[in-house]
Amino acid sequence: MANVVELKVGLHCEECIKKILKTIKKFEDIEAYDVDTKLNKVTVTGNVTNEEVIKALHKIGKQATNWEQFQTSTTN
């Protein structure tokens, strides 16, 4: 069963986006992914968890948080 992982990630430049995409593509069993530069949002659909994607992004120096946590903190 596929999970949908939605993360808030700093997408500052084209080089950042390339690094993020390269990292995401290394995961096996990825069905789809999307990078929304306007929202600074990365969505990954497949056999992965939030923790796995966050850990992989941290390894390349990108801060990532769960989208739901980000949404909650900005609406309070």
Side-chain angles (χ1 to χ4, degrees):
M1 176 162 164
N3 293 324
V4 178
V5 175
E6 295 179 314
L7 303 173
K8 170 77 172 170
V9 182
L11 304 170
H12 305 291
C13 64
E14 283 297 317
E15 199 58 38
C16 293
I17 295 168
K18 286 179 187 177
K19 284 183 178 180
I20 290 167
L21 290 174
K22 184 177 178 181
T23 300
I24 290 170
K25 290 176 184 177
K26 288 181 181 178
F27 284 102
E28 294 181 23
D29 298 329
I30 296 297
E31 295 175 12
Y33 56 87
D34 181 61
V35 176
D36 187 326
T37 56
K38 290 185 174 110
L39 294 175
N40 284 330
K41 182 177 182 181
V42 173
T43 306
V44 182
T45 304
N47 189 21
V48 293
T49 65
N50 284 17
E51 293 78 20
E52 289 172 328
V53 180
I54 290 171
K55 185 176 179 181
L57 293 176
H58 282 184
K59 282 185 179 179
I60 62 167
K62 300 304 295 175
Q63 291 298 318
T65 56
N66 289 324
W67 185 256
E68 288 179 6
Q69 288 175 338
F70 168 73
Q71 289 295 97
T72 302
S73 67
T74 59
T75 56
N76 290 337

